Each structure stands twice: as C-alpha cells, then as structure tokens.
Amino acid sequence: MVKNVTFTDARDGVADCLKCSLRESVLFANLEEKDFEKLHDPIDQYTLPVGSTLYRAGDKGERMYTVRSGVLKLVQYLPDGSQRIVRLIRSTDITGLECIVGETYQHDAVVLHETEVCALPVRVVESLSKENPALHRELLNRWQRALKEADAWLTELSTGSAKQRVARLLLRLVKDTQMSECNLFAREDMGAMLGITTETASRTIAEFKRQSLLVETNTNHFLLDIPNLHRIAED
Amino acid sequence: MVKNVTFTDARDGVADCLKCSLRESVLFANLEEKDFEKLHDPIDQYTLPVGSTLYRAGDKGERMYTVRSGVLKLVQYLPDGSQRIVRLIRSTDITGLECIVGETYQHDAVVLHETEVCALPVRVVESLSKENPALHRELLNRWQRALKEADAWLTELSTGSAKQRVARLLLRLVKDTQMSECNLFAREDMGAMLGITTETASRTIAEFKRQSLLVETNTNHFLLDIPNLHRIAED
DNA sequence: CGCGTTCTTGAGATTGGTCAATAGATGTGG
DNA sequence: CCACATCTATTGACCAATCTCAAGAACGCG
C-alpha cells in the first residue's frame, strides 16, 4: 500500500538556507547571516513521492521538517485500525515540532502530493533557538498555528452534515491558493479527514459535480464555485 | 444563560506561589526561590462559579491561567451559531497560552465545575521565561500537551458511533482520577463535545445506565464499569 | 491491452436527528 | 416547608442522513 522509499533514495542534496526561496515564510525567516554561520551541520533536502512516509508515529524524533512544496497528511490510528487524518501539512508549514520537547512523533506523516522537505535536526534548532529570540518566538508561533488548525478541523471538518464538511474542506483547500482551483485527494483520504465513509465522500463530490459546484479540469483537479460552496458550508 | 460574575467579585486574593500546593505540576514547577523574587506583580487567585466565563474568544489576551481545581470548557462557535467544545481544562492545566504569542483568546472559556484559577500576566511569564530555560521548556511542553489533547479529541471523541464516543469520553474523564467515578456534565455539553445532539447524548447515557455500565451515586455522579466501557469504546 | 485499484452508484439496514410531550430537578418566594 | 415557575433530562414517533454491502465503471500502470 505505502510505497517504500527510503530517505537516502530521495535525498536531493544540501539546502542553502541563506538563499532559500522561501526565506520569508520559513522557520528561519528571522535569522541573520551570522546565525547561518553556526549551521555547521548541513540541512538536507528531500523529494518524496506520493504515498511515501516521512516518519511514523512512535519513531524517535530527531528532525523536524519544513515543507517546501506538496502536501502531507498526519494520520493517527484508532484501536480498531481505522485511520483518522488530523491535519494537512503544506508549503511553508513545519511538521515534527514535537521532537523539540523530546517526544516521539505523534502521527504517521504520509505524502499526498509530491513533496519537497528540508530536514532540520532537533539539535540545530534547539541550539539556534537558545541564542536567537526571533527563532524562538517563531517556534511558539508555529505551535500555536498547529493548535489553531487542530481546533478548526474539529469545528469545521468534524461538525455538521457530510455536505457541509466536504464544502468546508474544499474552501479550506483553496483559501491558500487565492484561486478557485484545487487538487483533490483520494476519496478514502477525504473520508478520513471528515469522519465520513469513502462512499459518502464520493457521493457528495459526485453530487457537487452534477450541481456544477465543481468543474473537473483534470483528474482530481477542480474549479470551485466558491460563493455557492460557502452557502452550503454555512447553511 | 451565563451567570454574570465579574473578576473582582470572584477574586480570592494573592497567591503565594512559593508555597503553592500544586508546585510539583504547575508551570512554575522548576523555578527557584530567586526567580520568585522577581515576581513583583503579585499572582491573583480567583474562584469561579459554574456557568461563569473566564475569558471570551477575541478578547485581547493579557493573562494566562493555571487551573488549581475544577473544570472549564473551551468553546468555539460555528457560523450557524451552534457551539462546539474543543477541549476541557482541568486541574494543573494551563489555558490562554495563546496570549504569549500575542493572539487574542481563541475560545470562550466557561466554567463547568466550580473552578479556582491563578492569573498569570503575560508580561510576567514572558520575562521569566526569557531568563529561565526550565520555565521556557515547560511552556513548550504545555503547548505540545494541548496539541496532543486536540488530536485525541478528533480521533477519539469525533469518530465512530455515538455509543463509542460517549464511552470514550467517560473513560477519558476517569483516567486522571484513578478511580472509577466521575462527574458528568449537562447533556447539552456532552453533545457539544462529541458532535452529537443533546437527545442522543441523553439516550446513550440512559442506555448505559440501564445496562449498568454506569451507576448513578448522586446527581450526575457515576461509578463506571471500566472494562465493559472499554469494550464498547474499542469495539 | 489487461490487471488491479479507486470511484461511483444502487438498495436496504441502521443510526442519529427532529419535533414534541412528559417527567425530574432546581430554585424562588411566600 | 410547600407550591409554582423554570430548566434539564428522558422518552417516543417519525424521518432523513449516513453506513454497509455489493456490483459495475473508470482510471492508471506496466
């Protein structure tokens, strides 16, 4: 089911953080040139194909990851073995923060759309943040952002009818893109995000298509009728 | 609906953090005597009656709160006005962490069982944490704990049948008590925690009572049949 | 082009929601 | 301490949404 890609397979090379095209929005955004000089351990960069696993719940966390592009799901498993997706990680997000407090990873992180990440060794982040208040503050910000996101999943994506949940998920997916287009996920994943079955997810998407709330331009690539989806989402 | 208790009404006095009976488990657990000397602003203590509001979503956050005893709900509202409870805050928990990153409060915090809190001004926590790595680390821990809790609500309390959710909530409520007894909440609140209606919450509790999974010793105070509730929860 | 996987759709069973009535509990004032 | 008013919990009947199981269609890969 899950493709077996090891890290070394996927390694692209060493990142040049100073010249990073995402500098503005990344954890290290506020570091200065002198700080980067302290980065003796190089920051590795990887490209991960769809279906590969970045880390697993329970693994000892030694690195956190900045996502440069792509989408990952954070998955937790229920006692009965079914999966529940608790968050999506996208461009400029950080995942694996928990290792800075010495925890093992709390989720499986699985690639939904091809993903590029930079691997930040905990030690590096830890030592930089000790000397650098800006980085330190940014860490807290990230944590708060994750928490906000978790709350939103509960209130928006796990409450109300299937139609409402699907509509809210769609709106959430385009919000960051500024355009009315979005790439959807496998129906099974949508179900696991919304707490509904695969079939209900499929039926709902199909119905939205019939009502022209969605227009499929490519496989799983859609243009959205945002105003009407809003109507459904809030109804 | 919400009782109107102002802060000044409820103020008990000034806390003596050094002699705090919760020192072991509190945010300030690892501070030393010399640190406390820096606490020029006194830490105020309050007792809040059931139904009162500690803070509201959107308020400018100037204090975080350590809960000494009692239970609070953190509530968010949906566009249609219905409420969703995203977390419970109990003894030794901290709430309002978000103000340290300069955010307004993200939830309404409403008292479910009479609650005693200590109010920690952001400035104080901020300045102490700058000089004290232990406190600083404890802040990160608290954030991570909140995040873990948020994830658990999603996977445990918003997934599966109504019976499973209620059973999981009950187990979660006793887990910290070490005993098989617990104080339940109004059915409406249970519904808002589990994403089900008041009626379904009531029916489920009533059914559990009939099956002797719950024995009511006082109004809303129950002894639980933990093994069988586990069976239902995991089923 | 054929195979395996995922998506879609149907039919029927079940759960949970809705609306409404009743029973209990809590609180108030006399 | 009782009677009344109010609020919350429980229960019933009915209905709608969602799940389950199953089959066929579409798609993506080799």
Side-chain angles (χ1 to χ4, degrees):
Chain A
M1 186 135 310
V2 171
K3 288 179 195 156
N4 202 9
V5 177
T6 63
F7 260 99
T8 43
D9 287 347
R11 184 156 177 280
D12 291 334
V14 170
D16 183 348
C17 297
L18 243 180
K19 294 186 188 133
C20 172
S21 56
L22 298 175
R23 262 302 286 291
E24 298 301 309
S25 38
V26 125
L27 183 64
F28 289 167
N30 296 306
L31 293 196
E32 325 236 319
E33 195 142 352
K34 65 182 165 55
D35 295 312
F36 283 108
E37 285 162 15
K38 294 176 197 148
L39 276 180
H40 295 307
D41 297 325
I43 305 293
D44 287 331
Q45 227 179 295
Y46 301 90
T47 301
L48 304 167
V50 172
S52 60
T53 298
L54 179 58
Y55 56 74
R56 288 182 192 282
D59 285 358
K60 198 172 136 220
E62 282 168 346
R63 311 187 249 199
M64 32 212 253
Y65 299 92
T66 294
V67 174
R68 297 178 54 79
S69 67
V71 185
L72 293 153
K73 61 177 174 182
L74 297 190
V75 185
Q76 282 185 335
Y77 297 91
L78 301 171
D80 75 348
S82 59
Q83 65 166 244
R84 182 80 212 235
I85 299 175
V86 301
R87 234 166 303 145
L88 291 182
I89 306 293
R90 297 195 277 176
S91 182
T92 74
D93 287 340
I94 291 191
T95 193
L97 269 181
E98 58 265 45
C99 43
I100 218 171
V101 296
E103 299 230 32
T104 57
Y105 294 118
Q106 302 294 306
H107 320 90
D108 282 13
V110 178
V111 174
L112 292 185
H113 298 334
E114 182 173 279
T115 294
E116 298 174 291
V117 298
C118 292
L120 316 176
V122 192
R123 305 267 165 262
V124 171
V125 177
E126 233 170 6
S127 71
L128 276 179
S129 90
K130 258 181 207 143
E131 300 158 23
N132 189 307
L135 172 59
H136 174 251
R137 167 157 289 267
E138 191 55 26
L139 270 178
L140 295 185
N141 273 326
R142 297 300 178 135
W143 233 303
Q144 176 58 20
R145 201 197 283 188
L147 198 50
K148 223 167 164 172
E149 192 69 9
D151 289 342
W153 275 57
L154 205 55
T155 53
E156 290 180 26
L157 303 185
S158 302
T159 307
S161 69
K163 265 178 249 198
Q164 290 177 311
R165 297 186 194 187
V166 171
R168 295 193 195 119
L169 175 62
L170 293 170
L171 291 170
R172 190 157 255 283
L173 289 177
V174 295
K175 201 177 289 171
D176 307 11
T177 319
Q178 302 296 342
M179 295 165 291
S180 67
E181 47 185 346
C182 83
N183 257 319
L184 239 33
F185 310 107
R187 302 297 174 265
E188 188 180 346
D189 283 328
M190 295 188 55
M193 292 176 208
L194 302 175
I196 61 181
T197 58
T198 307
E199 292 94 327
T200 300
S202 174
R203 270 187 252 268
T204 308
I205 291 292
E207 191 188 331
F208 283 2
K209 278 197 249 178
R210 281 190 291 270
Q211 300 173 341
S212 303
L213 295 166
L214 298 178
V215 180
E216 191 159 18
T217 56
N218 273 311
T219 308
N220 260 335
H221 191 255
F222 294 89
L223 289 177
L224 310 189
D225 176 350
I226 302 207
N228 279 313
L229 285 172
H230 255 116
R231 201 174 36 68
I232 292 179
E234 314 215 338
D235 168 26
Chain B
M1 186 136 312
V2 171
K3 288 178 194 154
N4 200 10
V5 177
T6 64
F7 261 99
T8 43
D9 288 347
R11 183 155 177 281
D12 291 335
V14 170
D16 183 346
C17 297
L18 203 55
K19 294 188 189 132
C20 171
S21 57
L22 298 175
R23 264 298 288 290
E24 298 302 308
S25 37
V26 127
L27 184 63
F28 289 169
N30 296 305
L31 292 195
E32 324 236 319
E33 195 143 350
K34 63 180 165 52
D35 295 313
F36 284 108
E37 285 162 14
K38 294 175 197 150
L39 277 180
H40 296 305
D41 296 325
I43 305 295
D44 286 333
Q45 226 179 293
Y46 301 91
T47 301
L48 304 167
V50 172
S52 61
T53 298
L54 180 58
Y55 55 75
R56 287 183 193 283
D59 285 358
K60 197 172 138 221
E62 283 170 344
R63 311 186 250 197
M64 31 212 256
Y65 300 92
T66 294
V67 174
R68 298 179 51 79
S69 68
V71 185
L72 294 153
K73 61 177 174 183
L74 298 190
V75 185
Q76 282 186 335
Y77 296 90
L78 301 172
D80 75 347
S82 61
Q83 64 166 248
R84 181 82 208 234
I85 298 175
V86 301
R87 235 166 303 144
L88 290 182
I89 307 293
R90 296 194 278 177
S91 182
T92 75
D93 287 341
I94 292 190
T95 193
L97 268 181
E98 58 266 45
C99 44
I100 217 170
V101 295
E103 299 231 31
T104 58
Y105 294 118
Q106 303 293 307
H107 319 91
D108 281 14
V110 179
V111 174
L112 292 186
H113 298 335
E114 182 173 279
T115 294
E116 298 173 291
V117 299
C118 292
L120 316 176
V122 192
R123 304 265 164 265
V124 171
V125 178
E126 233 171 4
S127 73
L128 276 179
S129 90
K130 256 180 209 144
E131 299 157 24
N132 189 307
L135 173 58
H136 173 252
R137 166 155 291 266
E138 192 55 25
L139 271 177
L140 295 184
N141 274 325
R142 297 299 178 139
W143 234 302
Q144 175 58 21
R145 202 196 283 189
L147 198 50
K148 222 168 164 172
E149 192 69 10
D151 289 342
W153 276 57
L154 205 56
T155 52
E156 292 180 24
L157 303 185
S158 302
T159 308
S161 68
K163 264 178 252 198
Q164 290 178 310
R165 297 184 195 191
V166 172
R168 294 193 196 119
L169 175 62
L170 293 170
L171 292 170
R172 189 157 256 283
L173 289 177
V174 296
K175 200 179 291 173
D176 306 10
T177 319
Q178 303 295 342
M179 295 166 292
S180 66
E181 46 186 348
C182 83
N183 258 319
L184 239 34
F185 308 107
R187 302 296 174 264
E188 189 181 346
D189 284 327
M190 295 188 55
M193 292 177 209
L194 302 174
I196 60 182
T197 59
T198 306
E199 292 94 327
T200 299
S202 175
R203 270 187 253 268
T204 308
I205 290 292
E207 191 188 331
F208 283 3
K209 278 198 249 178
R210 282 191 289 272
Q211 300 173 342
S212 302
L213 295 166
L214 297 178
V215 180
E216 191 159 19
T217 57
N218 272 311
T219 310
N220 260 334
H221 192 255
F222 294 89
L223 290 177
L224 310 189
D225 176 350
I226 302 207
N228 280 311
L229 284 171
H230 255 115
R231 199 175 38 67
I232 292 178
E234 314 213 340
D235 169 26

